[in-house]
Amino acid sequence: MSIPAGRLRAAILAILLSASAAHAVVVRGRVTNQLGAGVSGARLQLLLGNSVVANGVSGPEGEYELRTSEGGRFLLLTSSQGFATTPSRSFYGGRLDLVQQDVTLRLDERKDEITVTATGLPTTLSQTSSSVSLIQPDSLWPRYGVSEELRLMPGVQIVQSGQMGGQTSQFVRGGQSDGNRVTIDGIPAEDMGGRFDYGNLASFVLDTIEVHRGPDSVTVGSGATASAVRLVTQQGTSIHPVLRYTGDAGNFHTWRNEGDLSGSARKLDYLLGFSRVDSSNALPGNRYHNATSAANLGFVLNAKTSLRFTLRNTDAAVGVPNAHDFYGVSDNAKQADQILISGASLDYQATSAWHNLVRYGVTRKREQLFQFSPVGTPITSFGFTTYYGRPVTITGANGYSVSGQAAMDFGLAYPTRSDQVSNRDQLYYQTDYRFSQHLAVLGAFRYEDERGIYKNSAYGTFNKADRGNYGYTLQMQGDFASRVFYSLGGELEKNALFGLEGVPKLGIAWYPIAPGNGFARGTKLRFNFSKGVQEPTLTEQFSSLYSLLLSSGNSAAINTYHVTPMNALRSRSYEGGLEQSLLSQRGIVKLGYFHTQFDRQIEYVDAGTLINIFGIPSGIAYSIFGADLNSLAYRAQGLEAESEWRLTKHWFARGGYTYLDANVQRSLSGDAVSGGLATTNPNFPGIAIGSTSPLVGQRPFRRPTHAGFFAVQWTASKWSAALKGGLVGRSDDSTFLSYSDINSGNTLLLPNKNLDYAYQRLDANIAYQWKPSMSIFTQLDNLTSQQRTGPIGYPGLPFTFRAGIKLRLVRE
């Protein structure tokens, strides 16, 4: 029987099409707007290299599907009327692969960024109820570090004790500097207990930085009593190898050289780089260097499974002049830091709705402080030698002054050395399931094996701690009709030091007016409630007052003053806010209120208090200087205001203001004189002074009541420029110089209130794109040369300038 030619051709064509489809790469997903509603009629283009290999249009609910018979590394371009054209990150798809790529479109005028710290799942800022600020890579690259950009967000205060490489801490909404969970590529980067020094964090190859303001222990685990900070290493995206180099130099013998090689090749993406920064700083004995190596390697096993390895290693050293203004001379000391943050992760998208992540991370941190020789004038009394600085007059921002000579060093066997080691291994597993476009549930488990050591050669100290900590998280997020967004969750933390603690989190955001084109289209109301929990630091554990009293048999003092073993630090926060988009989202205004209660915070009591109140023998008290306990409680409430505007095609401006009202409610710290047995200081009759901790009714140290920032940026075809400023009011503090003057009857303490100076730090940069592969730039910092930009006693860098080149070479 013969088959008609037409039917034969149709059958052959069907077979060929079926065979082609069987070997096709299928890319599917959903196109949504910033509130998660489906966008129909969006045009999609699938690019392989410079060629468009597939086209498509999204359906009624935003769904789409594209097919191509070619495998490789793709880029997806999505566009729709009223929205900006949105490119995806490059991704790999092989034959027979089904690749899930969801797309979120934004309005033309304003980019809607993605956050992970708010809920643990990638979510647009528009859909979150949390207070999250982001720093983009193009703001970082002229900078050596990240601390100056962190100043430019509401609720965040950066305190740098010294110049480049000096200890740099972050205080968020009045919280402690140890209350911030900092992760690099998902791996906890802070010391045991939360201490993180931004002075050694280079901006080199960092991608977008997220700062979540407020307790966030549910999402990131123990440590986030004040904030969570997420840093991510850049990935290679170009289909051709890209070599980048930045070199610059400036005053104070400052120079930088950094380079990286990145790209992608089918299933592999890669980035490898190295950076070196050196500076003499402006003080004698304050030379600094930082060498940072980074790697980010990704490999796609198949469309559902990928592997990633990251590494960031820092070797830094800085001279330690100490509080130069208190002594009139620099100390002869050096601090060296070795920091390794590395990890490997397996990402598995089991189905379009079910996602899994396993990550193993290591943190290796070692800090060495060397005191090479004593500095100052030696005075021997009762067989003990103390070295004093030059005669100085210390004047606070409150107008009070005191004169004397402060003790710098002591009669020890020099050189001395102290070592602190903080190591962590973490195993993290996350599984999340999207039941519908309106509901997703996440479960997570984390285990941390922490090991710490503190050694001091001068006092023969050797302390060691091991902590095995577990965390269990369950949370959900979703929306109702793409207008009301919610997140609800909790974490159960089992810590080796403080035991079992549970923390909840609830967030709601509501759009009474949806975003769109118009004068005031886009009104968002939000509310959050959350708790945070944090473990004490290594040094706080080793200097526990409870352990000291227990070993001395003083149970009466334990009961009288309710001294407990080292326990969890806690926080509880409520916040609410309003966000209003204006002029078709060319501008946005954000207003917020927060109220946070910080309980069981760590407080340090000095040797005089140990002797006079707790009955510790003087020989022991003066050998350990002091002890720590969970006795401090305070509340911090305030207002945050922020606005940003796309003024024209070339001009962009933003600014903000924070008002902080913080008040100490409970404190064991007494007055500065006689370990709390006196009520006044002889130099300032009638004024009680907290020597090591703030007194009840006063403000916590180093938290200014008023702070603000602004940034103005201009870009053209070849030129770009920016002017940025941080404006900080006065804050309470202490000189910490009790019992330190050469005249033992005197004290070099000053009243705490408004002791630290207000300052205005202005920075600027200008760049010119000389050639497509080369730009030249200059960075000007601290234009007004204000040196009182840190705590009293620590002069900051005056005006600094750098100029350099930036190269980007691509092998076609």
Side-chain angles (χ1 to χ4, degrees):
M1 183 179 69
S2 64
I3 300 176
R7 294 178 63 182
L8 179 61
R9 286 194 298 269
I12 293 174
L13 179 60
I15 293 172
L16 292 175
L17 288 174
S18 177
S20 175
H23 292 85
V25 180
V26 179
V27 181
R28 66 170 57 156
R30 188 164 176 263
V31 181
T32 62
N33 64 17
Q34 62 198 74
L35 298 187
V39 177
S40 64
R43 184 187 177 193
L44 299 107
Q45 294 180 304
L46 188 64
L47 280 72
L48 180 62
N50 295 322
S51 302
V52 177
V53 295
N55 290 279
V57 177
S58 61
E61 298 298 323
E63 71 282 1
Y64 77 91
E65 181 174 296
L66 304 176
R67 292 174 178 265
T68 177
S69 59
E70 302 181 66
R73 187 161 286 272
F74 298 97
L75 184 73
L76 184 66
L77 288 179
T78 310
S79 60
S80 182
Q81 185 175 2
F83 295 94
T85 299
T86 302
S88 70
R89 282 183 174 268
S90 65
F91 58 91
Y92 178 81
R95 293 184 176 183
L96 304 180
D97 281 345
L98 173 60
V99 183
Q100 185 76 21
Q101 285 287 315
D102 293 328
V103 179
T104 300
L105 294 177
R106 58 180 175 86
L107 295 179
D108 287 329
E109 294 297 337
R110 182 169 169 262
K111 185 176 182 180
D112 196 50
E113 288 119 343
I114 302 295
T115 175
V116 176
T117 57
T119 61
L121 297 174
T123 308
T124 64
L125 287 179
S126 297
Q127 299 179 34
T128 63
S129 59
S130 302
S131 299
V132 179
S133 296
L134 289 86
I135 301 173
Q136 301 295 346
D138 55 359
S139 298
L140 287 174
W141 77 264
R143 307 275 199 184
Y144 284 147
V146 304
S147 58
E148 298 310 321
E149 287 297 318
L150 288 171
R151 296 180 191 269
L152 307 180
M153 56 182 62
V156 176
Q157 171 67 11
I158 299 296
V159 175
Q160 185 166 4
S161 300
Q163 303 187 0
M164 186 180 292
Q167 174 74 38
T168 305
S169 303
Q170 178 187 41
F171 299 84
V172 179
R173 291 182 170 178
Q176 301 279 38
S177 62
D178 295 339
N180 312 295
R181 183 62 142 174
V182 181
T183 61
I184 299 178
D185 299 316
I187 304 159
E190 71 274 12
D191 295 352
M192 293 172 61
R195 188 173 72 98
F196 185 82
D197 183 6
Y198 285 93
N200 287 324
L201 179 62
S203 62
F204 178 57
V205 296
L206 287 178
D207 208 332
T208 302
I209 299 174
E210 295 181 40
V211 179
H212 177 284
R213 305 189 300 279
D216 196 23
S217 291
V218 171
T219 305
V220 297
S222 172
T225 53
S227 79
V229 182
R230 178 175 180 262
L231 304 107
V232 179
T233 305
Q234 295 175 15
Q235 295 181 18
T237 58
S238 172
I239 61 175
H240 302 290
V242 177
L243 177 64
R244 298 183 297 184
Y245 167 79
T246 300
D248 58 52
N251 57 343
F252 301 117
H253 308 93
T254 302
W255 55 268
R256 166 176 63 167
N257 285 289
E258 63 183 36
D260 66 87
L261 177 68
S262 65
S264 61
R266 294 183 64 81
K267 293 188 175 186
L268 174 71
D269 67 79
Y270 57 91
L271 181 144
L272 303 167
F274 178 78
S275 169
R276 169 84 184 210
V277 177
D278 284 77
S279 178
S280 68
N281 282 317
L283 291 176
N286 198 195
R287 178 169 289 279
Y288 171 68
H289 79 258
N290 180 310
T292 298
S293 306
N296 190 346
L297 304 174
F299 186 77
V300 178
L301 296 178
N302 53 53
K304 294 183 177 182
T305 312
S306 63
L307 297 171
R308 185 160 298 279
F309 169 79
T310 61
L311 179 146
R312 190 176 186 91
N313 183 78
T314 298
D315 289 287
V318 63
V320 182
N322 212 322
H324 188 274
D325 289 350
F326 291 164
Y327 309 113
V329 63
S330 292
D331 220 339
N332 186 21
K334 182 188 83 169
Q335 179 174 310
D337 292 88
Q338 297 88 44
I339 307 166
L340 172 68
I341 312 293
S342 184
S345 62
L346 172 68
D347 198 290
Y348 177 56
Q349 188 77 42
T351 68
S352 61
W354 185 21
H355 167 256
N356 296 271
L357 171 69
V358 179
R359 179 173 54 240
Y360 176 74
V362 299
T363 304
R364 301 290 184 265
K365 305 186 77 172
R366 186 181 185 91
E367 177 183 300
Q368 299 116 19
L369 179 62
F370 302 90
Q371 181 78 37
F372 300 110
S373 64
V375 174
T377 303
I379 302 292
T380 301
S381 178
F382 302 103
F384 186 77
T385 301
T386 303
Y387 295 82
Y388 292 88
R390 296 172 182 171
V392 296
T393 296
I394 302 170
T395 303
N398 50 24
Y400 291 102
S401 295
V402 66
S403 298
Q405 286 179 265
M408 287 188 69
D409 299 319
F410 302 97
L412 304 172
Y414 290 91
T416 67
R417 170 176 172 171
S418 65
D419 290 70
Q420 180 168 309
V421 177
S422 187
N423 294 335
R424 181 188 295 109
D425 287 66
Q426 186 196 64
L427 177 65
Y428 177 79
Y429 171 67
Q430 172 183 318
T431 182
D432 51 86
Y433 190 87
R434 183 166 293 279
F435 289 91
S436 72
Q437 64 188 61
H438 301 293
L439 173 63
V441 175
L442 177 147
F445 165 78
R446 62 173 57 85
Y447 171 72
E448 293 181 347
D449 177 21
E450 298 182 309
R451 291 95 60 198
I453 296 174
Y454 177 76
K455 297 188 295 184
N456 189 307
S457 65
Y459 298 97
T461 303
F462 182 89
N463 292 311
K464 184 177 181 181
D466 294 280
R467 303 176 189 172
N469 310 319
Y470 299 83
Y472 308 87
T473 297
L474 179 64
Q475 62 178 344
M476 64 175 64
Q477 70 176 82
D479 69 89
F480 300 102
S482 299
R483 296 292 284 271
V484 178
F485 300 88
Y486 65 89
S487 61
L488 174 65
E491 196 228 14
L492 194 63
E493 176 86 13
K494 185 179 181 182
N495 186 276
L497 190 60
F498 60 72
L500 197 64
E501 291 278 346
V503 289
K505 179 180 180 180
L506 168 66
I508 298 175
W510 173 47
Y511 279 89
I513 302 175
N517 294 317
F519 175 74
R521 296 288 303 175
T523 304
K524 177 181 176 181
L525 301 175
R526 59 183 185 83
F527 168 80
N528 280 291
F529 167 74
S530 59
K531 289 185 176 183
V533 65
Q534 176 188 345
E535 63 178 6
T537 66
L538 196 63
T539 53
E540 290 164 351
Q541 178 182 352
F542 294 151
S543 60
S544 166
L545 177 60
Y546 179 86
S547 299
L548 179 64
L549 294 175
L550 199 64
S551 64
S552 64
N554 193 348
S555 58
I558 292 176
N559 296 327
T560 300
Y561 293 99
H562 307 289
V563 180
T564 64
M566 273 295 162
N567 216 319
L569 290 74
R570 294 174 176 171
S571 65
R572 180 181 70 252
S573 179
Y574 302 87
E575 67 166 303
L578 164 69
E579 299 180 11
Q580 178 63 60
S581 297
L582 298 168
L583 302 176
S584 301
Q585 297 205 28
R586 285 197 294 272
I588 187 170
V589 176
K590 301 179 182 180
L591 301 173
Y593 167 79
F594 61 88
H595 185 288
T596 307
Q597 180 70 39
F598 295 95
D599 289 318
R600 300 199 308 197
Q601 304 296 296
I602 300 297
E603 187 174 13
Y604 177 83
V605 293
D606 61 15
T609 304
L610 295 181
I611 296 169
N612 295 308
I613 292 183
F614 294 104
I616 301 297
S618 58
I620 297 176
Y622 285 122
S623 68
I624 62 175
F625 296 105
D628 294 296
L629 73 161
N630 296 87
S631 57
L632 182 66
Y634 63 95
R635 65 110 175 95
Q637 62 179 346
L639 301 173
E640 294 176 348
E642 183 180 11
S643 183
E644 59 182 52
W645 291 87
R646 175 67 63 185
L647 301 174
T648 68
K649 180 181 178 180
H650 302 291
W651 288 93
F652 176 79
R654 66 187 185 95
Y657 166 76
T658 302
Y659 171 76
L660 176 65
D661 174 24
N663 185 272
V664 175
Q665 301 162 318
R666 185 173 65 253
S667 172
L668 189 63
S669 175
D671 182 74
V673 179
S674 301
L677 300 183
T679 58
T680 60
N681 185 303
N683 291 312
F684 309 103
I687 302 177
I689 300 175
S691 170
T692 58
S693 295
L695 302 178
V696 172
Q698 295 186 358
R699 295 178 293 180
F701 293 161
R702 300 180 181 178
R703 277 78 145 186
T705 301
H706 305 281
F709 67 90
F710 72 88
V712 180
Q713 296 171 282
W714 173 78
T715 57
S717 59
K718 289 184 175 293
W719 288 92
S720 65
L723 176 65
K724 303 177 181 181
L727 317 172
V728 179
R730 295 183 298 178
S731 58
D732 290 9
D733 206 344
S734 174
T735 63
F736 301 97
L737 293 176
S738 55
Y739 319 106
S740 293
D741 189 62
I742 195 170
N743 177 4
S744 59
N746 188 21
T747 175
L748 295 179
L749 291 166
L750 289 171
N752 305 120
K753 187 173 178 61
N754 290 332
L755 185 60
D756 287 338
Y757 285 85
Y759 63 88
Q760 304 80 43
R761 181 185 167 107
L762 304 179
D763 303 333
N765 63 69
I766 302 172
Y768 175 70
Q769 192 74 37
W770 184 25
K771 295 181 179 180
S773 61
M774 178 185 295
S775 60
I776 57 177
F777 68 92
T778 182
Q779 177 74 36
L780 311 174
D781 291 330
N782 198 5
L783 294 173
T784 57
S785 203
Q786 295 194 32
Q787 293 177 260
R788 289 170 169 168
T789 57
I792 188 170
Y794 292 87
L797 270 173
F799 169 70
T800 62
F801 64 87
R802 295 179 286 111
I805 63 171
K806 185 176 182 180
L807 302 176
R808 186 179 188 275
L809 306 176
V810 181
R811 180 182 176 183
E812 299 293 345

